Amino acid sequence: MKFDKAAGENTLFDNAEVVGRPTHRVDGPLKVTGTAPYAYERHDVAEGQLYGYPLGSAIGHGRIVSMDAEAARNSPGVRAVVTTLEIDPLEKGMNNVARLFGGAEVQHYHQAIAVVVADSFEQARAAASLIEVEYEKGDPEDYDLGAAFERLQGSGEMDTDTGDVESALSGAAVMLDEMYHTPSHSHMAMEPHASVVDWSDGDRMTVWTSNQMINWNHGSLATTFGLDKEKIRVESPYIGGGFGGKLWLRADAVLAALGSRAAGAPVKVALPRPMIMNNTTHRSETVQRIRMAAGEDGKLTGIWHEAASHTLPDGRGENATAQTPYFYASEAIRTKHHTVSMSLPESADMRAPGEASGLMALEIAMDEMAEKLGMDPVAFRKLNDTQVNPSNPDQRFSDRHFVECLERGAATFGWADRNTAPGATRDGQWLIGHGVAGAYRGALVLPSGARALLEGGKLVVETDMTDIGTGSYTILAQTAAETMGLTLDDIEMRMGNSAFPVSSGSGGQFGAASSSAGVYAACMALRARIAEELGVEEPEFREGRVIAGNTNRALSELEGEIDAVDSIEWGDFQDEYQMATFGAHFVEVGVHAGTGETRVRRMLAVCDSGRILNPVTARSQVIGGMTMAVGAALSEDMALDSGRGMFANHDLAGYEVAVHADIPEQEVIFLDTLDPVASPLKAKGVGELGVCGVAAAVANAVYNATGVRVRDYPVTLDKLIGGLPPLG
Amino acid sequence: MRAFSYEKVSDPAQAAARAAEVEGAKFLAGGTNLLDLMKLEIERPAHVIDVNGLGLDEITETDEGGLRIGALVTNTALSADARIRRDYPVLTRAIAAGASGQLRNKATTGGNLLQRTRCPYFYDTAQPCNKRAPGSGCAALSEGAFSRQLGVIGTSDACIATHPSDMAVGMRVLDAMVETVTPEGMTRTIPLEEFHLLPGDTPEQESALMPGELITAVTLPAPVGGEQKYHKVRDRASYAFALVSVALIRQPDGTGRVALGGVAPKPWRSAAADAELPNGAAAVMAELLGGARPTEENAFKITLAERTLAAMLAEE
Ligand SMILES: Cc1cc2nc3c(=O)[nH]c(=O)nc-3n(C[C@H](O)[C@H](O)[C@H](O)COP(=O)(O)OP(=O)(O)OC[C@H]3O[C@@H](n4cnc5c(N)ncnc54)[C@H](O)[C@@H]3O)c2cc1C
Ligand code: SF4
């Protein structure tokens, strides 16, 4: 199905009975009873599974001179040891920047350099520690991103350059010029990267893994091992969190494959928690400079956002300026992202790549500008809203209700009654503050396919789409039920398998909109097939029946199997529009006047992201994003050891994500919006919008509480105590 | 984890005797620290002696009007005990500020005192660490290292790690004593003040226990009354070790005691600092942290300790 013009009025989904209804996730019972099969627990899929345990490099970069695995090979229960020196450097799969295995070169700390395969996990782990490695360390490197930014700023061709930013800034009535910093962030999904691989015969390979993108993974495995794609099957039906950390092939699957070939048996490998930070990918640290100009009336006249992030050579880093060309109206906008090559673990995508870090800075800058202008920060944002892409004014937004988000949020939160003077509201020893921030995240869509199969009135839908905890099983079942006039009980979803039609996969918040359209396309194709079978024209499908003229049959009465495969293709007409999702976040914090401890007291998100396919799972996405952002605002920080070129706090005790006690009442409001350009369902994603802007709302609330402006995340107490008012 | 042998003994003295006899033996109590460290190859005992089930899990009254807490009393049981809550509330508050409910159900009094540091380099066996591998150097003191959580006082050029316990800080401010049995079957009593050792040149030696010596109990003297508080400061609201923690006992006349956690290789307290309490937080901290040698990353702990105490004193 080609989506080549905006969805019309009164489509199937505008009168929906299943889509859009609050529905608990269909896979919930499996998850809460511990019976959903996650990769490492696929005990039943292949006989005689062995355990693989990885060894990570002990240096940040350099070369391996020699490895002695003799003791490990002779250790009890050990079946095979594969060291990196025995294997030629493996080809890199799609979007892999660091090499995953093979050869003597070490590009980053905890790079996989060996796998030990044994009868038990404990035996493999004990043996891995017996491998002796001699290294030659690389030359010391400079990991100072701030210094790199100083050197690079202003250089190169700008990414966006609309209007005359320099004169806007020089002649401005009100001007801001500040530096911001966000540290590196780790995805830290609950489920570590894990795979079971059967490549016993060195020919056909089956991979049971935890991966967001089946098709990309499939292709990368083929490239990495020089195999024909036909010889590989990939399954990933359940994923315990991804956040972008499982978009690509990673070392778990590679080591399990090599171990399996060496041992001649299926092998499972999970990356131990301490390796997640330095072996897998992370969101790069960013250094950002924002300059803004405005007239006395509060209208922005110029924005110059320049940023830097680190990456291994040829990587993309974290483009913190991603939102700036589009979010606020301004005649002059200039942006530039500099990537800085550093021998650190690979930086890559993490939930809302670009916008998440960019808005952490931009939305503080907006707060600062509002204050300079003497304006309410909500009013200032409303004033600078735009319905067209400011860097390309001929392009309209397909559907944008940012102002409504701010207005609904302000009214619901009680913004009018907030603390206005920094440091002026107290509750015992706690200083109380309120903050707001805007949220912006692009609404990308990708082609997505599915197969729909009707048998005895039951509908089976097969697609390689994944559910990374987001609720895809549920929203796709809802979409199928709606399209076929069935109920949820009539639908069986089969997902996450390379044997099924290729979908969008899960990432970049493109999954929900793309894959629901793909399932819709497949079901429409099935409807056409059924019409053909019955020899009727344009039948209606409702209440389990197919109705056309004199024909009125229950789907369950149709004989045999009828199936159809289709996928959604996206038409060029979408390029005429800028498609994005919007939100406003409101936060109340308490900051302890003595210790500077910050505790979030209230959070509200208002989201504009098109049709909400399921308010229950969508809300979970948004509150999950808000929770992640509280961590980013207040505690998450991959502590860089600049002498060693590694992240030192590499476990969940050292890398502090928000815990239950950090998260207060969270309220989420979805505006009742529809975006006919975005998809046939008029839906857009929401999973990444929830993390955007929230951290800045927290930082702004801390400023409002204390009068201390922190532009260097996380906003920890050591950055506050110097400026807190005397204890009273 | 290395292969090890496992043994269950029938009484405390036998446990101590066996521990001295078998090379590389370790006691196993709740296992919440020891087993983690064994999995990470930081501890590699060849022999494990299980000290559960030896009758060391009771809290009894002493002739002096205090309490004797068996070494195997869990943190949950101890913090919930009615006598502790009534007469030693600072201890309940300190314990409840640590770890999580599940961990406290397993963690024991003896094990808690002997839990090892949370220095990130101690946990990374690829890095030098004098405490884990004596003589290998201290990664935390090298150029560019991450030291935000580490100690500011009582540290040495060989090691700047802190002792991470909250319970021990509460016990220190209460003048607790540690009771032990030696491999020879003798009992002895060690004031908590002298129980944890400063690192000096030998950071691997962390306590005054002799090889094989088993903790049997911790005793608390008769209650001292007063207002008793524990404020643990950290970056998130729960489930994190202290950046700084302050245990305070204040009498109605303004005198009292102060002990700090999160700043030193042991609970940090001094008589001279206690004597300054009537003069306020700055005076106390001038005494208590006067000799501090922080790193650039953790110098804030000194201001933080003072502000935390000041806030506790100012609380209504
Ligand atoms: C995730 C996590 C978070 C935590 N957070 C905190 C926190 O915030 N605050 C805090 O204070 N603690 C915290 N802890 C540490 C916890 O309190 C300790 O792990 C626990 O108290 C150790 O007690 P155990 O009985 O399990 O000791 P074990 O692990 O059994 O033993 C620890 C050590 O003590 C020795 N030992 C045990 N009993 C005796 C005895 N009777 N005589 C001689 N030696 C003995 C053992 O040989 C071993 O060396 C945390 C732990 C974890 C895992
Ligand atoms: S501070 Fe102590 S524990 Fe940490 S690395 Fe140095 S010696 Fe080891």
Side-chain angles (χ1 to χ4, degrees), chain A residues 145-166:
Chain A
L145 190 64
F149 180 83
E150 290 291 322
R151 286 194 300 274
L152 290 168
Q153 65 169 322
S155 69
E157 196 188 328
M158 295 296 126
D159 300 330
T160 313
D161 212 350
T162 311
D164 184 350
V165 163
E166 272 158 48

Side-chain angles (χ1 to χ4, degrees), chain B residues 29-111:
Chain B
T32 59
N33 193 225
L34 181 64
L35 296 183
D36 278 4
L37 295 173
M38 285 168 68
K39 290 173 193 170
L40 294 164
E41 303 253 342
I42 295 162
E43 299 264 21
R44 299 170 178 185
H47 186 65
V48 169
I49 301 171
D50 192 337
V51 294
N52 288 280
L54 304 185
L56 298 176
D57 54 356
E58 285 182 11
I59 304 174
T60 52
E61 273 136 53
T62 63
D63 297 342
E64 294 75 35
L67 291 176
R68 172 178 288 106
I69 303 156
L72 272 290
V73 171
T74 66
N75 282 182
T76 299
L78 180 56
S79 63
D81 186 273
R83 294 159 292 183
I84 299 285
R85 294 175 64 130
R86 185 186 63 224
D87 297 332
Y88 308 94
V90 69
L91 183 55
T92 291
R93 295 194 168 112
I95 294 171
S100 66
Q102 295 89 332
L103 283 160
R104 295 194 299 267
N105 287 342
K106 287 299 285 178
T108 67
T109 306

Side-chain angles (χ1 to χ4, degrees), chain B residues 117-123 127-133 136-141 150-151 156-162 199 203 206:
Chain B
T117 187
R118 293 283 166 170
C119 168
Y121 299 100
F122 174 77
Y123 270 83
Q127 298 304 332
C129 169
N130 288 324
K131 196 185 260 307
R132 171 170 37 75
S136 60
C138 170
L141 279 170
L150 304 185
S156 73
D157 290 342
C159 178
I160 59 168
T162 60
E206 294 173 354

Side-chain angles (χ1 to χ4, degrees), chain A residues 23 51 96 144 155 180 217 232 236 241 249 396 529 652-653:
Chain A
T23 306
Y51 294 83
N96 280 132
D144 188 338
S155 69
Y180 303 85
N217 200 253
I232 306 173
S236 183
L249 177 66
R396 289 190 63 77
R529 283 277 299 112
L652 282 169

Side-chain angles (χ1 to χ4, degrees), chain A residues 64 78 103 118 131 211 310 353 365 376 424 456 478 505 563 663 726:
Chain A
I64 296 177
V78 171
I131 299 176
N211 192 279
H310 68 244
D376 177 304
Q478 287 175 281
D563 83 329
I663 303 302

Side-chain angles (χ1 to χ4, degrees), chain A residues 441-471:
Chain A
R441 171 68 180 147
L444 187 67
V445 281
L446 292 182
S448 194
R451 170 168 183 254
L453 166 94
L454 187 71
E455 191 190 21
K458 290 270 177 195
L459 182 73
V460 176
V461 179
E462 294 178 338
T463 165
D464 84 357
M465 181 61 187
T466 49
D467 188 324
I468 60 173
T470 42

Side-chain angles (χ1 to χ4, degrees), chain A residues 248-329:
Chain A
W248 333 114
L249 177 66
R250 298 303 316 170
D252 54 314
V254 171
L255 296 179
L258 293 171
S260 171
R261 187 176 59 178
V267 169
K268 53 164 65 177
V269 172
L271 296 184
R273 183 64 65 184
M275 278 179 79
I276 299 293
M277 199 178 259
N278 289 288
N279 178 275
T280 74
T281 60
H282 65 280
R283 189 202 296 287
S284 168
E285 171 187 11
T286 70
V287 169
Q288 307 181 42
R289 180 176 181 187
I290 297 179
R291 279 166 275 192
M292 272 183 186
E296 302 281 6
D297 59 356
K299 286 225 159 99
L300 287 168
T301 54
I303 310 174
W304 184 348
H305 190 175
E306 209 165 336
S309 65
H310 68 244
T311 165
L312 286 167
D314 305 324
R316 286 168 297 145
E318 167 82 359
N319 178 8
T321 69
Q323 66 293 316
T324 307
Y326 315 113
F327 198 9
Y328 292 111

